[in-house]
């Protein structure tokens, strides 16, 4: 099964209590694709400038990720810099230079259009809708969004997610999107907007899944050292859709249920937790599928009673 | 099996986004005992003034709780009032009138001393130690504490918990007690202080159990309406020790393990969640054991994958 991932490919500057890196590979699509690449054939759609380093292209490609959809244009690659609070639960954005990403208008290569799964990273809702329109007939499509689109592009966003199978957002976004502070009520309202599946990410506290009338909650993995949480939510998304794609699940055939989706949430949690163990994408240089599966079993061990 | 519960019996004034009650039955020992009473013979030790209403005594007694250890002295009962933030994750204390509780010096009735289990609510560490000294040979003993004792009575507290089997505290208290912001490291340090079992309560995010080298994490129950979180942590403690007492677990016989303690954490979570459904102790006027066991099964359903 094949997966298309659309979103930002960027350079990040990050400061956490554990250190600081001025410029390193980042971007939502990068993290999502790297995480998903452990499970399924992954195809990336993004845009970078002519400053994008060959070694970064090579690293992404080394994970078997198809880069035909990574556009390279004159100018500079999207740059973001931020600084985390001492407990790393908050971060302050220091720099957002959209650069070539400002004109990102994702076009799917012909070879991508019959892919089975689509994961839309956080970009303008209308662009997300245009991407879905370019796909032939994906088994499952969905994605992420953020406070900015919820607040200022609500109409566009609602018509976009109405077409999605799943939406992956964090708890404050779920509250903002639904206008409900209680997450159970928030989830009911969001499911009524279209998606049959909602995943609410809660950072260190884990994640919740809502699928029709069923729900599932998992606590976060207990890391002894969180070096850098940048990209953890995107890696969650990559692990989640990666598992569903690997299993070949779809809704039409009726063989996707709360149990399958819950295990996808665990794979998402596993990938998100590994992401935090090193700065940026560094953990993915050594991470193996065996480590991923071992941590999946750890989740079983520390949550069963 | 029998359980002794020691701590405050009080009147509370509470304001939450759902309403306000000027004066209602409260206090840590009240909540702990009510929750534990669904599982085991429960004996309360506390102090009240001559304003303590007969109907409140009758209500506590109606749950089969032994009140021989509830001292009644001239003066007023401990009164606390607080107001919760809109999301109910924070609260502001408006009034703390210790009244007769200021001179609380718990004495166990002779009939209590051979009880099998001891749960010490949050009181001065030296008083907690004196209570344990009055017990003959409990199978398990432990309790709660708070930031005030951790900060200003550290030496006394450390010598108190060194004698305990288990400590039940919240996440910020665990960080303060250990000096570690990471909860895994914090737990290791606290277990090295004496208790073989540590439970860290995380409010709406659930709870964590650490027992020797093993750990267990459970998310919080997803309530659609939280009317009043007052007493939820104490009800957690009551459900936790209640289950252990009902099963007759002890460490000497070697038949207590991570699994047993995990199920006790679930019963704690169940009782804490019911507590939030109405103001004060109101939910305990109608709560049945069948409801408790049904919610225990719900926990299995929404956490298994």
């Amino acid at each position: 099964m094949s997966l298309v991932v659309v979103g930002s490919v960027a350079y990040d500057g990050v400061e956490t209590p554990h250190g600081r890196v001025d410029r390193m590979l980042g971007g939502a699509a990068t993290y999502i694709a790297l995480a998903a690449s452990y499970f399924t054939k992954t195809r990336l759609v993004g845009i970078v400038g002519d400053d994008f380093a060959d070694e970064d292209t090579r690293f992404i490609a080394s994970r078997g990720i198809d880069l035909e959809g990574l556009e390279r244009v004159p100018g500079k690659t999207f740059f973001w810099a931020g600084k985390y609070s001492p407990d790393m639960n908050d971060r302050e954005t220091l720099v957002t230079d959209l650069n070539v990403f400002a004109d990102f208008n994702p076009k799917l290569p012909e070879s991508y259009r019959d892919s089975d799964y689509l994961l839309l990273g956080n970009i303008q809702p209308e662009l997300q809708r245009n991407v879905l329109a370019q796909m032939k007939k994906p088994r499952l499509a969905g994605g992420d969004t953020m406070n900015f689109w919820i607040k200022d592009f609500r109409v566009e966003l609602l018509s976009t997610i109405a077409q999605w199978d799943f939406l992956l957002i964090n708890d404050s976004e779920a509250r903002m999107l639904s206008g409900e502070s209680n997450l159970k009520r928030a989830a009911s309202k969001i499911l009524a907007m279209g998606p049959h599946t909602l995943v609410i990410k809660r950072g260190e506290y884990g994640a919740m899944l809502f699928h029709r009338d069923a729900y599932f909650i998992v606590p976060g993995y207990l890391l002894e050292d969180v070096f850098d949480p940048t990209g953890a939510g995107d890696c969650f998304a990559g692990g989640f859709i990666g598992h569903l794609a690997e299993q070949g699940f779809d809704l039409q055939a009726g063989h996707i249920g709360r149990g399958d989706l819950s295990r996808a949430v665990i794979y998402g949690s596993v990938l998100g937790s590994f992401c935090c163990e090193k700065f940026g994408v560094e953990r993915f240089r050594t991470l193996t599928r065996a480590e991923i599966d071992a941590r999946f079993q750890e989740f079983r061990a520390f949550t069963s009673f």
Side-chain angles (χ1 to χ4, degrees), chain A residues 41-47 57 60-61 64-72 107-113:
Chain A
K41 175 71 204 166
T42 302
R43 295 163 167 162
L44 193 149
V45 177
I47 191 167
T57 311
I60 299 172
I65 296 165
D66 187 336
L67 292 175
E68 191 189 338
L70 181 63
E71 217 181 329
R72 213 177 237 280
K107 279 174 295 292
L108 266 55
E110 193 52 45
S111 65
Y112 282 24
R113 295 177 190 234

Side-chain angles (χ1 to χ4, degrees), chain A residues 9 92 110 114 146 172 189 269 276:
Chain A
V9 176
E92 183 193 351
E110 193 52 45
D114 63 351
M146 73 183 287
S172 69
K189 284 204 173 177
S269 305
C276 297

Side-chain angles (χ1 to χ4, degrees), chain A residues 27-39:
Chain A
T30 308
Y31 283 107
I32 298 167
L34 286 171
S37 70
Y38 288 86
F39 302 89

Side-chain angles (χ1 to χ4, degrees), chain A residues 250-267:
Chain A
D250 63 19
L251 205 67
Q252 280 67 42
H255 65 304
I256 190 169
R258 184 276 204 200
D260 309 311
L261 290 163
S262 300
R263 288 183 284 279
V265 166
I266 301 297
Y267 276 109

Side-chain angles (χ1 to χ4, degrees), chain A residues 108-148:
Chain A
L108 266 55
E110 193 52 45
S111 65
Y112 282 24
R113 295 177 190 234
D114 63 351
S115 298
D116 308 289
Y117 298 86
L118 174 63
L119 196 300
L120 292 153
N122 161 41
I123 56 174
Q124 213 236 298
E126 204 182 315
L127 296 182
Q128 291 178 319
R129 202 157 67 247
N130 291 347
V131 172
L132 181 53
Q134 295 172 54
M135 296 279 287
K136 281 184 184 151
K137 197 172 179 283
R139 290 178 173 227
L140 292 173
D144 191 9
T145 189
M146 73 183 287
N147 50 5
F148 177 64

Side-chain angles (χ1 to χ4, degrees), chain A residues 175 178-186:
Chain A
R175 291 188 167 105
S178 64
E180 286 282 354
S181 65
N182 178 285
L183 289 177
K184 197 166 188 179
R185 290 168 186 271

